[in-house]
PDB file of all heavy atoms in Angstrom:
ATOM      1  N   PRO A   9     -26.474  68.714 -57.896  1.00 96.00           N
ATOM      2  CA  PRO A   9     -27.305  67.628 -57.383  1.00 96.00           C
ATOM      3  C   PRO A   9     -27.069  66.342 -58.177  1.00 96.00           C
ATOM      4  O   PRO A   9     -26.738  66.374 -59.360  1.00 96.00           O
ATOM      5  CB  PRO A   9     -28.733  68.145 -57.591  1.00 96.00           C
ATOM      6  CG  PRO A   9     -28.589  69.630 -57.560  1.00 96.00           C
ATOM      7  CD  PRO A   9     -27.259  69.895 -58.215  1.00 96.00           C
ATOM      8  N   THR A  13     -28.295  55.217 -55.200  1.00 98.00           N
ATOM      9  CA  THR A  13     -29.255  54.115 -55.188  1.00 98.00           C
ATOM     10  C   THR A  13     -29.006  53.259 -53.963  1.00 98.00           C
ATOM     11  O   THR A  13     -27.860  52.899 -53.677  1.00 98.00           O
ATOM     12  CB  THR A  13     -29.124  53.249 -56.461  1.00 98.00           C
ATOM     13  OG1 THR A  13     -29.320  54.087 -57.600  1.00 98.00           O
ATOM     14  CG2 THR A  13     -30.142  52.131 -56.473  1.00 98.00           C
ATOM     15  N   VAL A  15     -29.501  49.660 -52.688  1.00 98.00           N
ATOM     16  CA  VAL A  15     -29.760  48.323 -53.214  1.00 98.00           C
ATOM     17  C   VAL A  15     -29.977  47.400 -52.019  1.00 98.00           C
ATOM     18  O   VAL A  15     -29.037  47.091 -51.284  1.00 98.00           O
ATOM     19  CB  VAL A  15     -28.591  47.817 -54.087  1.00 98.00           C
ATOM     20  CG1 VAL A  15     -28.905  46.441 -54.651  1.00 98.00           C
ATOM     21  CG2 VAL A  15     -28.279  48.810 -55.198  1.00 98.00           C
ATOM     22  N   VAL A  23     -33.475  42.504 -53.740  1.00 96.00           N
ATOM     23  CA  VAL A  23     -34.915  42.534 -53.508  1.00 96.00           C
ATOM     24  C   VAL A  23     -35.509  43.826 -54.079  1.00 96.00           C
ATOM     25  O   VAL A  23     -36.581  43.812 -54.666  1.00 96.00           O
ATOM     26  CB  VAL A  23     -35.241  42.420 -51.999  1.00 96.00           C
ATOM     27  CG1 VAL A  23     -36.712  42.620 -51.722  1.00 96.00           C
ATOM     28  CG2 VAL A  23     -34.759  41.084 -51.461  1.00 96.00           C
ATOM     29  N   GLU A  27     -33.931  54.659 -55.952  1.00 97.00           N
ATOM     30  CA  GLU A  27     -33.144  55.817 -56.375  1.00 97.00           C
ATOM     31  C   GLU A  27     -33.517  57.018 -55.514  1.00 97.00           C
ATOM     32  O   GLU A  27     -34.696  57.289 -55.285  1.00 97.00           O
ATOM     33  CB  GLU A  27     -33.393  56.118 -57.848  1.00 97.00           C
ATOM     34  CG  GLU A  27     -32.815  55.059 -58.758  1.00 97.00           C
ATOM     35  CD  GLU A  27     -32.953  55.426 -60.226  1.00 97.00           C
ATOM     36  OE1 GLU A  27     -33.480  56.513 -60.550  1.00 97.00           O
ATOM     37  OE2 GLU A  27     -32.523  54.612 -61.060  1.00 97.00           O
ATOM     38  N   PRO A  34     -23.990  71.045 -47.668  1.00 95.00           N
ATOM     39  CA  PRO A  34     -22.901  70.547 -46.833  1.00 95.00           C
ATOM     40  C   PRO A  34     -23.332  69.343 -45.985  1.00 95.00           C
ATOM     41  O   PRO A  34     -22.493  68.597 -45.503  1.00 95.00           O
ATOM     42  CB  PRO A  34     -22.530  71.738 -45.954  1.00 95.00           C
ATOM     43  CG  PRO A  34     -23.699  72.645 -45.999  1.00 95.00           C
ATOM     44  CD  PRO A  34     -24.411  72.389 -47.296  1.00 95.00           C
ATOM     45  N   ARG A  37     -29.337  64.738 -46.148  1.00 96.00           N
ATOM     46  CA  ARG A  37     -29.765  63.456 -45.577  1.00 96.00           C
ATOM     47  C   ARG A  37     -30.864  62.848 -46.431  1.00 96.00           C
ATOM     48  O   ARG A  37     -31.747  63.556 -46.915  1.00 96.00           O
ATOM     49  CB  ARG A  37     -30.291  63.650 -44.157  1.00 96.00           C
ATOM     50  CG  ARG A  37     -29.223  64.116 -43.228  1.00 96.00           C
ATOM     51  CD  ARG A  37     -29.753  64.350 -41.855  1.00 96.00           C
ATOM     52  NE  ARG A  37     -28.673  64.922 -41.056  1.00 96.00           N
ATOM     53  CZ  ARG A  37     -28.821  65.328 -39.828  1.00 96.00           C
ATOM     54  NH1 ARG A  37     -29.979  65.225 -39.225  1.00 96.00           N
ATOM     55  NH2 ARG A  37     -27.806  65.832 -39.176  1.00 96.00           N
ATOM     56  N   SER A  40     -34.103  55.273 -47.136  1.00 96.00           N
ATOM     57  CA  SER A  40     -35.097  54.370 -47.710  1.00 96.00           C
ATOM     58  C   SER A  40     -35.356  53.279 -46.685  1.00 96.00           C
ATOM     59  O   SER A  40     -34.652  53.182 -45.674  1.00 96.00           O
ATOM     60  CB  SER A  40     -34.608  53.761 -49.031  1.00 96.00           C
ATOM     61  OG  SER A  40     -33.576  52.830 -48.813  1.00 96.00           O
ATOM     62  N   LEU A  44     -40.554  44.095 -44.499  1.00 91.00           N
ATOM     63  CA  LEU A  44     -40.292  42.666 -44.539  1.00 91.00           C
ATOM     64  C   LEU A  44     -41.550  41.867 -44.277  1.00 91.00           C
ATOM     65  O   LEU A  44     -42.339  42.207 -43.402  1.00 91.00           O
ATOM     66  CB  LEU A  44     -39.252  42.289 -43.477  1.00 91.00           C
ATOM     67  CG  LEU A  44     -37.939  43.051 -43.476  1.00 91.00           C
ATOM     68  CD1 LEU A  44     -37.025  42.502 -42.395  1.00 91.00           C
ATOM     69  CD2 LEU A  44     -37.279  42.997 -44.828  1.00 91.00           C
ATOM     70  N   THR A  53     -28.749  43.342 -46.446  1.00 97.00           N
ATOM     71  CA  THR A  53     -27.785  44.419 -46.640  1.00 97.00           C
ATOM     72  C   THR A  53     -28.448  45.528 -47.447  1.00 97.00           C
ATOM     73  O   THR A  53     -29.354  45.277 -48.239  1.00 97.00           O
ATOM     74  CB  THR A  53     -26.513  43.961 -47.389  1.00 97.00           C
ATOM     75  OG1 THR A  53     -26.875  43.443 -48.666  1.00 97.00           O
ATOM     76  CG2 THR A  53     -25.742  42.927 -46.606  1.00 97.00           C
ATOM     77  N   LYS A  59     -24.144  57.264 -58.707  1.00 93.00           N
ATOM     78  CA  LYS A  59     -24.809  57.277 -60.020  1.00 93.00           C
ATOM     79  C   LYS A  59     -24.039  56.437 -61.036  1.00 93.00           C
ATOM     80  O   LYS A  59     -24.619  55.854 -61.944  1.00 93.00           O
ATOM     81  CB  LYS A  59     -24.935  58.724 -60.500  1.00 93.00           C
ATOM     82  CG  LYS A  59     -25.910  58.923 -61.600  1.00 93.00           C
ATOM     83  CD  LYS A  59     -26.134  60.404 -61.846  1.00 93.00           C
ATOM     84  CE  LYS A  59     -27.175  60.605 -62.915  1.00 93.00           C
ATOM     85  NZ  LYS A  59     -27.466  62.030 -63.124  1.00 93.00           N
ATOM     86  N   LYS A  60     -22.717  56.323 -60.847  1.00 94.00           N
ATOM     87  CA  LYS A  60     -21.881  55.536 -61.752  1.00 94.00           C
ATOM     88  C   LYS A  60     -21.736  54.084 -61.309  1.00 94.00           C
ATOM     89  O   LYS A  60     -20.987  53.316 -61.898  1.00 94.00           O
ATOM     90  CB  LYS A  60     -20.508  56.178 -61.892  1.00 94.00           C
ATOM     91  CG  LYS A  60     -20.560  57.527 -62.580  1.00 94.00           C
ATOM     92  CD  LYS A  60     -19.186  58.119 -62.749  1.00 94.00           C
ATOM     93  CE  LYS A  60     -19.277  59.451 -63.471  1.00 94.00           C
ATOM     94  NZ  LYS A  60     -17.953  60.043 -63.689  1.00 94.00           N
ATOM     95  N   GLY A  61     -22.418  53.689 -60.212  1.00 95.00           N
ATOM     96  CA  GLY A  61     -22.398  52.301 -59.768  1.00 95.00           C
ATOM     97  C   GLY A  61     -21.330  51.956 -58.747  1.00 95.00           C
ATOM     98  O   GLY A  61     -21.180  50.803 -58.372  1.00 95.00           O
ATOM     99  N   LEU A  64     -20.613  53.097 -52.189  1.00 96.00           N
ATOM    100  CA  LEU A  64     -20.210  54.154 -51.272  1.00 96.00           C
ATOM    101  C   LEU A  64     -20.272  53.690 -49.817  1.00 96.00           C
ATOM    102  O   LEU A  64     -19.593  54.248 -48.960  1.00 96.00           O
ATOM    103  CB  LEU A  64     -21.118  55.376 -51.448  1.00 96.00           C
ATOM    104  CG  LEU A  64     -21.163  55.977 -52.841  1.00 96.00           C
ATOM    105  CD1 LEU A  64     -22.217  57.084 -52.900  1.00 96.00           C
ATOM    106  CD2 LEU A  64     -19.797  56.510 -53.252  1.00 96.00           C
ATOM    107  N   VAL A  69     -27.807  43.820 -41.512  1.00 93.00           N
ATOM    108  CA  VAL A  69     -28.585  43.442 -40.336  1.00 93.00           C
ATOM    109  C   VAL A  69     -29.125  42.034 -40.527  1.00 93.00           C
ATOM    110  O   VAL A  69     -29.220  41.548 -41.657  1.00 93.00           O
ATOM    111  CB  VAL A  69     -29.767  44.409 -40.060  1.00 93.00           C
ATOM    112  CG1 VAL A  69     -29.273  45.801 -39.755  1.00 93.00           C
ATOM    113  CG2 VAL A  69     -30.737  44.411 -41.212  1.00 93.00           C
ATOM    114  N   GLY A  72     -35.181  38.087 -38.107  1.00 85.00           N
ATOM    115  CA  GLY A  72     -35.755  36.802 -37.728  1.00 85.00           C
ATOM    116  C   GLY A  72     -34.931  36.086 -36.669  1.00 85.00           C
ATOM    117  O   GLY A  72     -34.027  36.635 -36.079  1.00 85.00           O
TER     118      GLY A  72
END
Side-chain angles (χ1 to χ4, degrees):
T13 302
V15 182
V23 173
E27 291 185 1
R37 295 178 185 175
S40 71
L44 307 182
T53 59
K59 197 171 183 177
K60 294 182 179 182
L64 302 174
V69 297

